[in-house]
Amino acid sequence: MFLRNSIKIKPCDNNCETGDKIQQKIQLLYQWLADNPNINARTDYENLAQFLRSCKYDLDRTKKKIKSFYHMRAERSEWFSNRDPTRKEIQELLNLGVFLPVDGLDEENRKVVIIRTAVHEPKEHSQNDVFKVMKMVLDLLILLEPENCKNGIVAIFDMDGVQLGHAMALNPKLIKRTVDSWQTYPYQPKLMEFINSPLHVNIVLNTFRIFMTPKMRSRVVVQKRKCSVKCENLPCDLGGNGPSYRELTQRWKKLVEENANFYVEDDKYKSIIETKN
């Protein structure tokens, strides 16, 4: 059983969802997916609605995003397969807290997440496993707080303790795949702030920027030390009043474990890609 009630879900107050228009568009998406079974997407109301929200209710944009999202899930089996929370490598990364959603929203009503880029040891944990666990937490966040897709995410990349080995694990192909995934998810990154950044951080970030759209590049901010995001519930590790990294790590590890069945079900949904003989 999925524990959607473990986090209170607020009803969306967007006027686009109060009348018949949203119902009509959901029905059109449902029919479109029925006509394109190779996309193999979840067709429940909330899943389709969150893609619509993230695309400002533009039907063509929504179809393109849904198609790209489920195609990515099929291509990136290293991230979206074998997502059993009890697996050793997943347990270790959950214990480290590589991806931590923060309680509440920032002053612009955007969801805040902490990405701890250097908390893992690159010689012990593959970068693909790190990304897998990040996607696991993100997918669960979308399940628990679907209404926040509309306003997007503020991602704070805490680079405290970053080493050369962390940068070496990010080859250009992996960087491109990472950037593509950000742009494909229904949760759009509205701000990507890098804090505790070493002087050479832009050497790596410049490779990321190559694959970003101009809009996404404009949302990248680098801070030497302090975080500038305005959110009352930032972790106390960042000078806020919210739970510590340790507390958030324990909470999200527990949520992932309690929702193990969600990953079994969710892993079924990915595009059917024909193999060439």
Side-chain angles (χ1 to χ4, degrees), residues 122-185:
K123 292 181 180 179
E124 297 179 8
H125 304 104
S126 77
Q127 194 62 46
N128 277 324
D129 282 341
V130 173
F131 288 149
K132 175 185 284 192
V133 172
M134 288 182 176
K135 304 297 185 193
M136 287 176 70
V137 178
L138 178 58
D139 288 346
L140 186 58
L141 175 65
I142 293 173
L143 175 76
L144 298 175
E145 300 185 33
E147 76 286 354
N148 288 326
C149 285
K150 178 170 61 71
N151 295 324
I153 271 183
V154 169
I156 301 171
F157 294 78
D158 188 348
M159 305 191 74
D160 185 39
V162 70
Q163 305 169 18
L164 179 61
H166 294 105
M168 295 295 290
L170 293 168
N171 59 64
K173 179 185 289 188
L174 189 54
I175 289 174
K176 183 180 186 304
R177 289 175 174 176
T178 304
V179 174
D180 288 347
S181 76
W182 294 344
Q183 297 173 152
T184 301
Y185 255 85

Side-chain angles (χ1 to χ4, degrees), residues 54-76:
S54 71
C55 295
K56 298 182 179 179
Y57 302 91
D58 183 301
L59 197 59
D60 289 336
R61 282 179 59 195
T62 302
K63 289 179 180 179
K64 183 177 180 181
K65 182 176 281 289
I66 290 173
K67 186 175 181 179
S68 298
F69 179 74
Y70 286 99
H71 187 80
M72 174 196 66
R73 286 175 59 91
E75 285 196 322
R76 301 279 74 79

